[in-house]
Amino acid sequence: MDRSTNRPGRGADDPNGIRRSLLRDAVFARLLDNVLRGVYRRGQRIRLDDIADDMGVSRTPVREALVPLETLRLVTVQRYVGVVITGWTVEHMTERIRIARTMFTDPSVGSDCTRDRFDAGWLRECSTEGGAFVEVGSWWLRRHGAAVSADWLLSQRAVLDAFYKDDVALANGIDAVVARRDRLQIVERAARAAEAEALGDCADALVELATALIALPERFRAAA
């Protein structure tokens, strides 16, 4: 999601007095939730006007919210057809974690390492371990000099943070409560290592957390 603090100019607000950027983010969050929970079925075609009417907004914030959803490969917007929900799967979600895990085990090294300190307050913005994984991981990559990889991982934050919420995970056949305490302890370990600038220990914790998140679907099926 866009964290910009820039104020919109005149004419950029909704008639109801809501800042356009906030309206776009709210529409994005609701669309993302509807896609991940299956309210919008895979392969379903939806008219943009129908989405706007359902949410009580104009077409503009819907169009803007669809841009990152399309980038995340959850929808496609087709001329004369409308919005088409892609055939995404749980495996596609865990693939995002696998890609990130590889970045920590075999990181690319750039020449633009940042010296930014890790701020544990960033984790308060996360709803799940998936979001925390992205926050710590993107800091680690930037600190390691892999800015492009960091930007990619940060772009996955919204979808991974939402996917591991209890109701969304359960809608996809995953019990996210399973071993949550263990995963939260790994998050705490990764954050402490980041605060201490212990990059090796932080990477180890991130790899462990990624492995735990990837194993969740299979672990739930085995328990069932």
Side-chain angles (χ1 to χ4, degrees), residues 106-118:
D106 186 21
S108 60
V109 180
S111 59
D112 55 347
C113 300
T114 69
R115 305 301 298 181
D116 295 342
R117 301 283 299 180
F118 178 77

Side-chain angles (χ1 to χ4, degrees), residues 53-125:
D53 290 344
D54 180 54
M55 297 192 176
V57 299
S58 68
R59 292 164 54 97
T60 299
V62 175
R63 280 197 300 264
E64 292 176 344
L66 287 169
V67 172
L69 281 175
E70 194 164 24
T71 301
L72 290 167
R73 306 177 74 87
L74 294 175
V75 305
T76 59
V77 181
Q78 301 178 9
R79 192 175 184 182
Y80 305 123
V81 174
V83 181
V84 181
I85 309 304
T86 64
W88 68 273
T89 66
V90 171
E91 176 60 26
H92 291 151
M93 293 299 165
T94 56
E95 182 183 3
R96 301 169 196 264
I97 303 289
R98 287 193 182 92
I99 292 171
R101 182 174 62 181
T102 301
M103 294 176 181
F104 305 127
T105 57
D106 186 21
S108 60
V109 180
S111 59
D112 55 347
C113 300
T114 69
R115 305 301 298 181
D116 295 342
R117 301 283 299 180
F118 178 77
D119 183 355
W122 297 336
L123 299 185
R124 289 196 290 270
E125 301 177 7

Side-chain angles (χ1 to χ4, degrees), residues 131-169:
F133 172 76
V134 169
E135 284 292 351
V136 181
S138 59
W139 171 85
W140 187 93
L141 288 167
R142 204 171 300 280
R143 185 70 174 75
H144 200 270
V148 174
S149 297
D151 288 344
W152 175 84
L153 182 55
L154 194 59
S155 74
Q156 306 299 308
R157 156 132 180 231
V159 65
L160 291 177
D161 199 30
F163 183 73
Y164 288 100
K165 290 181 180 178
D166 290 353
D167 58 337
V168 174

